[in-house]
Amino acid sequence: MRLTFLGTGTSKGVPEVGCTCPVCLSTDQRDKRLRVSALVETAEARILIDCGPDLREQMLRVPFDRLDGVLLTHEHYDHTGGIDDLRPFGIFGDIDVFSDGLTHRHLRERLPYFFREVLYPGVPRLHFHEVEPCVPFAIKDVEIVPLQVMHGKLPILGYRIGPLAFVTDMTDAPEETFTHLMGVDTLVIGALRHHAHATHQTIDEAIEVAHRVGAREVYLIHMNHEAGLHAETDAQLPEHVHLSYDGLTIEI
């Protein structure tokens, strides 16, 4: 299994518009973070996790090929704002999109033209599937377990995909979720910055979750500019914890 980090930044991205802090002015490409998205590839399947407003730019950086499924973590714009940019992938056929019920309903309100019987020319046919926490489903040869986590007071989804778990925008989770995360090989987890936030974990809090579930390797995502310069912050992390960056590809 291969994971490519398409975007590792928070809702404003990095650099933030108008900001002149050292991170936003950095010339290190690892400090330039598009909104969170990732591509999971196995021998049989190619799966996109989240499609935020930077999706077009992100997909220009990877080989153009089919998408066997799209996993949405929640309905916030920085995770769904690029759905219209799935248009090119319609040439490969219909696209299956998986989300919780709240995300599905909000997308029907925001993007009604995707749900009409007769589609506008060029609009891909998306098949939306509502999934439930801890109820497995499959995309080709890949079994996926949706996991409920709390984004402040909002319940959203993370995903366990075999040896990989992808959890963003988390503050806490039900005990059942931690049970499903136990012993995960590679944990990708949101870590906004160093100091507390009402709806996101800090870097230290994300590391605590990783230790709790016994993850062998940990990759932090959804960082804003207050997480610090990549080179400095990454060097201060435990040996098995890594600050991810856009374009990083790992084998699992």
Side-chain angles (χ1 to χ4, degrees), residues 93-143:
D94 298 355
I95 302 172
D96 291 306
V97 181
F98 301 85
S99 74
D100 62 14
L102 179 64
T103 300
H104 186 188
R105 292 193 295 275
H106 282 197
L107 291 177
R108 292 186 74 95
E109 295 171 1
R110 295 176 189 169
L111 301 166
Y113 61 94
F114 273 97
F115 296 89
R116 292 173 183 154
E117 190 63 32
V118 179
L119 296 175
Y120 184 82
V123 175
R125 187 166 295 279
L126 305 181
H127 295 293
F128 286 86
H129 307 270
E130 292 187 16
V131 299
E132 298 291 335
C134 301
V135 179
F137 64 94
I139 299 177
K140 290 202 168 182
D141 67 333
V142 181
E143 182 178 275

Side-chain angles (χ1 to χ4, degrees), residues 6 26 51 66 68 82 105-106 133 157 171 180 182 209 227-228 241:
L6 301 176
S26 172
C51 48
R66 75 193 191 283
D68 296 301
R105 292 193 295 275
H106 282 197
L157 293 179
T171 47
H180 280 279
M182 292 301 295
V209 170
V241 179

Side-chain angles (χ1 to χ4, degrees), residues 200-213:
H200 294 273
Q201 290 181 131
T202 65
I203 290 173
D204 285 343
E205 289 168 341
I207 293 172
E208 287 177 13
V209 170
H211 287 163
R212 176 175 176 177
V213 302

Side-chain angles (χ1 to χ4, degrees), residues 26-239:
S26 172
T27 58
D28 186 340
Q29 288 299 311
R30 297 172 299 178
D31 289 319
K32 301 185 185 306
R33 303 183 183 279
L34 300 175
R35 270 65 73 93
V36 161
S37 184
L39 187 65
V40 177
E41 298 170 282
T42 70
E44 297 293 331
R46 199 165 186 256
I47 301 167
L48 178 68
I49 306 178
D50 279 342
C51 48
D54 298 316
L55 184 68
R56 177 184 175 275
E57 182 177 355
Q58 292 165 339
M59 298 310 281
L60 287 170
R61 300 177 178 181
V62 297
F64 181 55
D65 203 347
R66 75 193 191 283
L67 291 175
D68 296 301
V70 178
L71 308 179
L72 300 178
T73 59
H74 60 297
E75 53 92 11
H76 286 168
Y77 183 77
D78 57 318
H79 295 263
T80 62
I83 286 181
D84 192 77
D85 289 323
L86 293 172
R87 287 177 181 236
F89 298 93
I91 68 168
F92 299 106
D94 298 355
I95 302 172
D96 291 306
V97 181
F98 301 85
S99 74
D100 62 14
L102 179 64
T103 300
H104 186 188
R105 292 193 295 275
H106 282 197
L107 291 177
R108 292 186 74 95
E109 295 171 1
R110 295 176 189 169
L111 301 166
Y113 61 94
F114 273 97
F115 296 89
R116 292 173 183 154
E117 190 63 32
V118 179
L119 296 175
Y120 184 82
V123 175
R125 187 166 295 279
L126 305 181
H127 295 293
F128 286 86
H129 307 270
E130 292 187 16
V131 299
E132 298 291 335
C134 301
V135 179
F137 64 94
I139 299 177
K140 290 202 168 182
D141 67 333
V142 181
E143 182 178 275
I144 301 166
V145 182
L147 301 174
Q148 186 179 92
V149 300
M150 298 305 297
H151 181 13
K153 296 182 179 180
L154 177 68
I156 66 171
L157 293 179
Y159 294 96
R160 176 78 188 253
I161 309 172
L164 166 70
F166 189 98
V167 180
T168 184
D169 291 46
M170 170 181 166
T171 47
D172 201 357
E175 192 61 36
E176 188 175 24
T177 292
F178 286 109
T179 299
H180 280 279
L181 289 174
M182 292 301 295
V184 68
D185 180 90
T186 301
L187 175 64
V188 177
I189 189 166
L192 184 70
R193 61 192 188 189
H194 295 285
H195 56 284
H197 189 277
T199 60
H200 294 273
Q201 290 181 131
T202 65
I203 290 173
D204 285 343
E205 289 168 341
I207 293 172
E208 287 177 13
V209 170
H211 287 163
R212 176 175 176 177
V213 302
R216 185 182 66 85
E217 292 290 328
V218 183
Y219 290 85
L220 307 182
I221 56 169
H222 210 285
M223 285 81 66
N224 72 5
H225 59 170
E226 294 173 298
L229 293 165
H230 182 282
E232 294 179 0
T233 300
D234 191 60
Q236 297 168 1
L237 297 174
E239 186 176 358

